[in-house]
Amino acid sequence: MKLVRYGEPGREKPGLIHGGALRDLGGLLPDLAGEHLSAASLDRVRAADPDSLPLVPGSPRIGPCVARPCNFIAVGLNYADHAAETGAAIPKEPILFNKAPNCIVGPHDDVMLPKASERSDWEVELAIVIGARTSYIGEKEAMDHVAGFCVCNDVSERSFQTERGGQWMKGKGCATFGPLGPWLVTPDEVGDVQALDMWLDVNGKRMQTGSTATMIFNVVQLVSYISHFMVLEPGDIITTGTPPGVGLGMKPATFLKAGDVMSLGIAGLGEQKQTVVAWQKT
């Protein structure tokens, strides 16, 4: 299934993409969040006749495909070719950091440069959406705890991240730095999640081309590993790292400016498009 949230920010409704059309899921689910992403809840949606669901008229805004996650966890340097372009060693264990849950926005919403930004960058990533409470699980159990997958743009302010001391989260959780969606795609529709092509363009120029096949730590390894350090709740997001082609790795390094347009996607998970805007008080 391809699940979606649509409507004005803060007032999104759940929907289903079926036959290229958007259908309303409000009669089956209040939202795509928390316990409503459990296997039992999604099975109720799967059992419904999609042609009986109300069609959504027009072209509403598409919001982030998951609402109000408790945790938004990111994995750093998880692609061997990306680690190489940054000059970093291959990590022996996953590098984890937090993105602020309230930085999540819709897949086509504007990305706002933070105040005093100098080196804001792009990162197309596969995101995992947790569907069951998860603690101390093995790799063989991991997929039983996954509701689905989606596209994430892990927007990053590199000077905050690397030059201001402490953890990377300083450059990762700025407002609008977590475009998510357009769809939450359930595992049965994704196929082999470790063989998905990925890409990102800036102003129509291809910057990133990669595949989830080059991940150092794969999906089941990450879910299991993270569950040994924290309890994952339904609706939590794990964004799993980026392939090469980020602005930081270019010679000379290239970063985002107001007016730039990022387009990105992952095979089977849909596409995003964001316009970069200057900082403004929110």
Side-chain angles (χ1 to χ4, degrees):
M1 296 185 295
K2 291 185 174 74
L3 304 172
V4 68
R5 298 174 68 250
Y6 66 94
E8 295 304 310
R11 301 178 65 183
E12 293 94 345
K13 299 177 181 179
L16 172 74
I17 302 296
H18 175 69
L22 174 58
R23 293 184 177 270
D24 180 68
L25 282 178
L28 295 173
L29 293 176
D31 206 346
L32 297 176
E35 63 184 11
H36 305 297
L37 292 168
S38 70
S41 183
L42 295 184
D43 281 346
R44 286 196 298 273
V45 175
R46 192 175 283 109
D49 176 7
D51 293 322
S52 71
L53 300 171
L55 280 168
V56 177
S59 300
R61 167 188 172 268
I62 301 300
C65 58
V66 178
R68 303 179 298 280
C70 293
N71 297 292
F72 190 5
I73 305 147
V75 184
L77 299 176
N78 194 35
Y79 283 69
D81 35 12
H82 172 55
E85 76 172 341
T86 64
I90 301 297
K92 295 180 180 179
E93 295 190 37
I95 297 171
L96 307 179
F97 59 92
N98 290 323
K99 286 178 73 76
N102 66 356
C103 82
I104 292 174
V105 292
H108 310 306
D109 292 344
D110 290 344
V111 164
M112 182 176 67
L113 297 173
K115 191 175 183 180
S117 170
E118 298 177 352
R119 303 168 70 205
S120 288
D121 205 346
W122 55 84
E123 295 190 8
V124 58
E125 303 200 1
L126 170 77
I128 306 165
V129 180
I130 297 297
R133 200 166 196 265
T134 306
S135 180
Y136 292 104
I137 62 163
E139 293 177 17
K140 291 182 179 179
E141 307 168 80
M143 286 304 300
D144 295 335
H145 294 249
V146 173
F149 302 95
C150 61
V151 181
C152 176
N153 188 354
D154 177 20
V155 187
S156 310
E157 213 303 330
R158 302 300 188 188
S159 56
F160 296 0
Q161 177 187 357
T162 62
E163 299 171 13
R164 301 291 296 271
Q167 297 184 346
W168 289 0
M169 64 177 291
K170 288 182 180 178
K172 296 285 190 170
C174 304
T176 74
F177 269 27
L180 208 65
W183 314 312
L184 167 60
V185 184
T186 51
D188 57 297
E189 188 158 331
V190 172
D192 185 357
V193 73
Q194 299 302 155
L196 303 179
D197 292 335
M198 316 164 69
W199 59 273
L200 183 145
D201 297 347
V202 178
N203 300 328
K205 180 181 179 181
R206 183 59 47 93
M207 299 297 188
Q208 290 187 271
T209 301
S211 169
T212 57
T214 67
M215 289 170 65
I216 299 167
F217 305 103
N218 65 28
V219 165
V220 297
Q221 290 172 322
L222 290 173
V223 173
S224 173
Y225 181 87
I226 294 169
S227 80
H228 286 71
F229 296 94
M230 62 186 294
V231 177
L232 297 168
E233 301 287 356
D236 282 355
I237 308 296
I238 302 169
T239 191
T240 61
T242 198
V246 299
L248 179 65
M250 294 186 172
K251 299 187 184 337
T254 303
F255 299 107
L256 294 167
K257 61 185 183 302
D260 285 346
V261 176
M262 294 180 284
S263 303
L264 57 147
I266 300 177
L269 302 183
E271 300 182 6
Q272 300 185 356
K273 186 174 184 178
Q274 300 108 27
T275 298
V276 179
V277 299
W279 180 84
Q280 53 188 294
K281 187 174 181 180
T282 57

